[in-house]
Every structure is written in C-alpha cells, then in structure tokens.
Amino acid sequence: MSDQSPLQSSVNVFVDWAKARLDEMAANAGALQANLDKLDSKTREQAEQAIAQLNQWIEQGSPT
C-alpha cells in the first residue's frame, strides 16, 4: 500500500506530465536550432527570438 495521499499522487502525475512536455519542448527547440542555417536572415532572426523565448519558458517551468 502506498503512503501517498490521493492528492499527492495526482500532483505527482501532473508534475511527471509537465516534465515530459518540457522535455518535448526542449527537443523541439533543439531541432529548430539545428535548422536555422536554412533560413534567410530576417526569418532566422525571428526564429532565434522564438527559440530564445521557448527556452526561457522551459527554464521557468523546470523544477530547481
């Protein structure tokens, strides 16, 4: 029998789900970064800004 309360168990499920989504976002940011050289300069600058914002969101959502 588990020592966790149902609430704690639900929280753990959510935290695990959130960590998985953050990992997916980080992988997508990496894939985008790898393809930047295929873009023209203006589009590349916009993509770099979007990737930076995505990485910031990931850092804010990651547990410390």
Side-chain angles (χ1 to χ4, degrees):
M1 173 136 316
S2 174
D3 291 337
Q4 290 185 337
S5 71
L7 178 59
Q8 183 63 39
S9 180
S10 295
V11 169
N12 288 343
V13 169
F14 175 75
V15 168
D16 289 343
W17 174 85
K19 287 179 182 178
R21 300 301 75 78
L22 288 170
D23 289 344
E24 290 174 6
M25 291 172 64
N28 287 332
L32 291 170
Q33 187 75 40
N35 288 301
L36 283 177
D37 61 340
K38 299 176 185 174
L39 303 175
D40 65 47
S41 62
K42 182 175 181 174
T43 305
R44 181 185 173 113
E45 181 180 335
Q46 292 171 337
E48 287 173 338
Q49 290 173 355
I51 291 167
Q53 181 66 51
L54 180 59
N55 285 326
Q56 184 179 15
W57 289 337
I58 292 167
E59 288 175 18
Q60 290 173 349
S62 294
T64 54

